[in-house]
Amino acid sequence: MMFGGAMAIFEGIAAVAKDDLFISTRNYVFEFSLAGWGWVHLILGIVLVFAGCAVLTGALWARFFGVFVAGLGALANFLWVPYYPLWALSLVAVNIFVVWALCTGMHREAADGRVT
């Protein structure tokens, strides 16, 4: 989760700086300015890193928060696909893997009868 957050932070910084590696699209329903999308990814990346640090504490609330934030990250990167397809799809996969890992860990702890 912290890796995905760091990548989202870099993605946001590149978009805010209006780097030349992004594709300009026309007639996109979720069209913001490139800087607007950059701020979305930058803030989401910071929250993802925070959630990843919180998950390392082992708190149950952190897992639920991590699932929620990683889901938002997957959604934001899915909407980002027209701007930078390969990077966005890679981060969608990372965020979906994070959701799966967090949910699988909760399921195993509940089956063992452990509560943290």
Side-chain angles (χ1 to χ4, degrees):
M1 185 181 309
M2 292 186 301
F3 170 76
M7 293 297 106
I9 289 171
F10 292 141
E11 181 178 51
I13 290 171
V16 168
K18 296 182 178 159
D19 206 349
D20 292 334
L21 43 107
F22 298 106
I23 300 170
S24 61
T25 57
R26 291 183 176 189
N27 301 324
Y28 182 50
V29 175
F30 301 105
E31 184 176 351
F32 291 146
S33 67
L34 189 59
W37 273 114
W39 282 109
V40 167
H41 287 287
L42 186 64
I43 292 168
L44 192 60
I46 291 168
V47 174
L48 273 166
V49 169
F50 169 75
C53 292
V55 166
L56 289 177
T57 66
L60 184 61
W61 68 267
R63 286 190 181 197
F64 285 112
F65 183 64
V67 168
F68 176 72
V69 174
L72 284 179
L75 180 65
N77 280 298
F78 179 74
L79 296 175
W80 179 251
V81 167
Y83 294 95
Y84 200 175
L86 185 60
W87 186 271
L89 291 176
S90 299
L91 286 180
V92 166
V94 166
N95 285 315
I96 289 173
F97 176 73
V98 165
V99 169
W100 171 80
L102 290 174
C103 291
T104 300
M106 283 188 273
H107 177 71
R108 287 184 184 159
E109 285 181 3
D112 292 343
R114 290 184 285 159
V115 178
T116 51

